[in-house]
């Protein structure tokens, strides 16, 4: 069975997904200038080890696509 991702927060500014083991999150956040930041945070205690990445994109569509790529890459077989 694989870990799953669920939306843990969604509002006008932020959409965040959390991995079912609780050790990883992916967040898309709108900046004040209208750009978007995508953040991957895999916690130190995670089986796959500590990872932190942050990237900036000009639009939500591109940022959301990157968030989906990270969720796929960091889905674990349990």
């Amino acid at each position: 069975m694989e870990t799953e991702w669920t939306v843990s927060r969604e509002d006008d500014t932020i959409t965040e997904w959390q991995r079912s083991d609780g050790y990883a999150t992916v967040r898309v956040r709108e900046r004040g200038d209208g750009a978007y930041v995508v953040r991957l945070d895999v916690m130190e205690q995670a089986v796959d080890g500590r990872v932190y990445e942050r990237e900036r994109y000009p639009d939500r569509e591109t940022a959301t696509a990157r968030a989906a790529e990270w969720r796929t890459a960091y889905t674990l077989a349990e």
Side-chain angles (χ1 to χ4, degrees):
M1 186 171 164
E2 291 184 343
T3 54
E4 296 179 6
W5 293 88
T6 56
V7 174
S8 59
R9 178 178 174 181
E10 189 165 32
D11 56 40
D12 293 340
T13 307
I14 295 173
T15 302
E16 184 171 84
W17 297 264
Q18 182 171 10
R19 195 167 68 186
S20 58
D21 67 359
Y23 290 120
T25 59
V26 174
R27 175 184 284 194
V28 174
R29 176 181 59 84
E30 184 176 10
R31 294 168 36 106
D33 63 3
Y36 288 82
V37 171
V38 185
R39 189 251 311 139
L40 166 69
D41 190 5
V42 181
M43 295 170 202
E44 192 171 305
Q45 301 88 343
V47 174
D48 45 343
R50 174 92 172 119
V51 178
Y52 185 87
E53 304 238 6
R54 183 182 178 279
E55 298 176 3
R56 184 173 177 234
Y57 294 95
D59 58 73
R60 184 169 186 80
E61 182 177 320
T62 308
T64 302
R66 181 60 171 145
E69 290 172 359
W70 275 341
R71 291 193 314 275
T72 297
Y74 286 89
T75 295
L76 301 175
E78 291 186 293

